Structure formats: structure tokens, C-alpha cells
Amino acid sequence: MSQMIENFIRLDRHSAESLQMQIRRQIAIAVVSGRFPPNYALPSVRGFAQRLNVSNNTVSLAYDALRQDGFIASKNRSGYYISPDAHAIRDAAVMRDAAREDADRFDFKAHFRGATYDQPRTTKPHDALVRFRFPFICGHVDPNIFPVGAWRECVRDSVNSLQIRNWAMDFSTVDDPLLVQQLILRVLQPRGIYANPDEVLITVGGQNALYIALKLLLSRRGVLGAENPGYPEAANIARMDGHRVRHLPMDDEGLILSPEALECGCLYVTTTHQHPTTITMSEPRRHAFLEKTREKGIFIIEDDYEAETTFDEKAVPALKALDRYGNVIYVGSLTKSLMPGLRIGFLVADRDFVTEARSFRHHILRHPPINNQNSVGLFLERGHFDRFIARLRQEYIAGRRLCARRCTPICRNWTIACALAGAVAISVLPTCWTRWPCRKRRRVDLCILKN
């Protein structure tokens, strides 16, 4: 630790400030900044003087002044230590300065009042995967089943000398070609979407894709129609830009094509796995949507949320797969099926829309990290993604079965909806739920996180 002090002290022998004052000042700054913990032992006077190439008296005077100021303390036969009260002195000084400055500080709370970005939003417990075997929360992937070895291999290969030449440049006008190709082959085509590379834009997660789409579509069309209940972030993004949001009713086939819906300039729908009900929009409803919105000139943002983890082997094709008019903007993400922290999303639309979206993306973040794009592209290309999704589906099926097995014996009025859901299962609780004894409710909490 004394080596750290030696590295920290910098003496300027040409300065007008004395060497003793320089030592005193720099140690005091280190204590105030928390660099040295309480009771930390300082070097002896002689040892420190030798390291700094100064006289013993210079160090002794500096130590004595620091002791009087309360920064250090001395112990008989043990030398000098950082005073346990030194941090209290620092905190008191900080509080005095803060109180003194409060009257003159700019009032940011008043500045943001009425125009704050702090809106109700989706939050997820950080310890869900530790506390629960099956947390039933969207976007939570158990790291124990993630193929860490395969991912490590792809990351390693993406930084070899050849690959670095491919991605160590500014990719503002293009995305990683391998990732775009693999998204088209392994993610979009299974959903019935056949796109060209210039119709795909890589984003920093699905929410970034949603933000870009809403920003472009609502610039001249000010009313967003959103599902009720639905994903709150879509409404938040629209409101932040001053647009109106109309919350539209649903039934067991998805969003209802009401007159109010057909008066909106843009509709946001989660067709395959509706958030939060997990309803899948029926195929007749999808065709009706396309026909009516084409007639009215309405844009549709299709968030194909968790489509890759559906249990249905005969899944309904994406709305974008049926689109022949070009008014459907398809947004998706690999976050829900890989890792939330990876933040790889995508947007699929007409090439002219993607060109404009790419230009807008340039102004807010230029491009998502290309090394991450390339790593994910290799992960897809080598088949790791397909094998992982197959295992993920089995985990979700097992979780739903366990949920049913645990809950049904407790109350026969308990029902679990949406057998084709992914990470989330919707449970219809009996009206007597709140009157159950704690022991009985705790048995359910073993597999259900939220109720």
C-alpha cells in the first residue's frame, strides 16, 4: 500500500509552494476523495522521506499538520494512520458546501416539470433468476442454459485479425453483412418474411427500433393507436414528442378494428404474443387489418414480440409476411431470446423507409457496435441460435407445466391461459386469492413471481 502513496505524491521542486505543503495538500486531497480508507497505515517518517527524496523534518512537519487538521492520527509505537473521523470531516464539509450552494443552484426539477421523461415504464426485478426457477418475466433468460462456450467462441473469432479489418471502421451507412444475412435466413424467413438486405436496419434493441419507427411515422401523423392493455413504452415515446395516444380495446383475436382505430395515423400492435395478455392475433383479423389500413392510409408498427419462442408448430405468419402494400413496419429483437444486455434489435420495412431510418439513426448513435453485430452473426451462422431457441422452448413448456401442476391442487378454479405463450404465462386467479393463508400462497410463489 505504501507503494500506492509513493505513486500518488508528485513533488514539484520548482514550485513556489514548499515541499512540506505539497505533501500535506496531496495527502489531504487523497483522504477527502476517499482514496485512503480509515485506519490505513501511512509509511514511517524516515521511510517516506527516503522514497520522496526529502528530509525527515519535511515529512514530520507535514504529518504533524495533517494530524492537527484531523486527517491522520498517531499511535504510540505504531506510527501514523488515516483518522477514522477523516471521512466524517469530508462528508460534513460536502454537506456544508451543498447547503451553501442550494440557494444558487439551478432548479432542474422546475425545468423538467410538465415535460419529464420519467414516465411509468416496464421494470423487472433484478434478482428474479436467483429467487425463482421459472420467473415468468419477459426478457429474462436463465444464464445457466445459455451456451456460454459457443458464445465465447463467436466473440473470440469476431476479434481475430481478419474480422477486425472487417468491422474496425465507421459503419454508419451499413450494418454487419453477416448479421443481416443471418437475420433474413434464420429469423425473418421462418416468420414468412422475405426481405432484401437494404430493407433491414440493425438497432440497439427492439425499443430503439420502435423509437426510430415512431419518430419517422408520427412526424406528420400525430395520433398513435395502441393496445389496451399494452406495452407502455410505445405510448411513452409518442407522448414525449407531443403526439396523442389513443388506447384501443382488444378481444380474444387481438386489437379490435373499431372506428376509433381507423382514425389513427399509426397503429402499434404485438401480433404474435401480445403484451401483456399473450393473445395471438387471428389470421382473419390480420387480413382485415391489412385491408382496412390500406384503404385508410394508416401505418402499422408490428412488434413481433417473442415470436421465435412460440410453442405452436403451425404459427400464424407475421403481419409483415402478408403485407403487399408496404405500410407495415416490422420491429423485433434478439434481446428476449439471447441476453437482455446484448441489445441487438432490427427493423424491416420498405427500402426507402429504411434509408431514412438509417439517416436518422446516424444522428442519434451512428450505429450499434459492429463487434457485437459480428459476434451475433457468427452465433446465428453456426446454428447455435437455433439449438438454443429449441432448448428455450422446452424450458418454457416445462415452466408452464410446473405452474399448472403446482397451482391446480391448491384451487380448482385456477386457470392458466395461453398455452402457446413464451416466457410469460397468464394466470386467472380465483377471487378468494387474497384470503388464502400465507402458507398456501407461498406454495404458489415457488413458480410465480408476479400476481
Side-chain angles (χ1 to χ4, degrees), residues 222-228 244-250 255-268 289 292-293 296 298-299:
V223 182
L224 173 69
E227 299 160 327
N228 185 25
R244 289 181 295 154
V245 178
R246 185 171 293 174
H247 296 281
L248 304 171
M250 298 178 54
L255 185 66
I256 298 173
L257 271 172
S258 61
E260 293 79 9
L262 296 177
E263 292 174 356
C264 298
C266 180
L267 296 173
Y268 170 75
F289 246 85
K292 292 295 184 181
T293 56
K296 299 288 185 178
I298 300 171
F299 293 111

Side-chain angles (χ1 to χ4, degrees), residues 148-199:
V148 176
W151 175 251
R152 186 183 295 117
E153 169 196 295
C154 295
V155 172
R156 184 185 64 242
D157 290 349
S158 73
V159 295
N160 65 37
S161 58
L162 178 61
Q163 291 293 345
I164 286 179
R165 292 192 185 96
N166 293 334
W167 59 256
M169 63 181 71
D170 190 343
F171 269 66
S172 176
T173 58
V174 294
D175 291 305
D176 183 73
L178 177 63
L179 176 58
V180 173
Q181 176 197 54
Q182 292 302 314
L183 278 175
I184 292 172
L185 292 175
R186 298 181 181 272
V187 178
L188 298 179
Q189 289 187 8
R191 299 292 301 125
I193 300 171
Y194 294 88
N196 295 312
D198 59 356
E199 297 172 325

Side-chain angles (χ1 to χ4, degrees), residues 273 276-280 311 400 416-422 424-426:
H273 185 189
T277 66
T278 73
I279 290 172
T280 298
F311 309 157
R400 185 184 179 280
I416 299 178
C418 301
L420 306 180
V424 177
I426 300 299

Side-chain angles (χ1 to χ4, degrees), residues 153-154 157 182 186 377-384 387:
E153 169 196 295
C154 295
D157 290 349
Q182 292 302 314
R186 298 181 181 272
L378 291 170
F379 193 79
L380 292 167
E381 181 186 43
R382 296 173 182 180
H384 302 311
R387 289 188 290 273

Side-chain angles (χ1 to χ4, degrees), residues 134-142 145 273 306 308-311 336-338 388-403 419 421-425:
F134 297 105
F136 294 106
I137 295 182
C138 63
H140 272 44
V141 179
D142 187 350
I145 67 172
H273 185 189
E306 279 197 335
E308 66 275 8
T309 56
T310 180
F311 309 157
K336 304 295 187 297
S337 50
L338 286 178
F388 175 60
I389 289 299
R391 184 176 180 185
L392 202 59
R393 288 194 188 113
Q394 294 305 313
E395 283 288 308
Y396 290 160
I397 292 171
R400 185 184 179 280
R401 288 173 178 169
L402 176 64
C403 184
V424 177

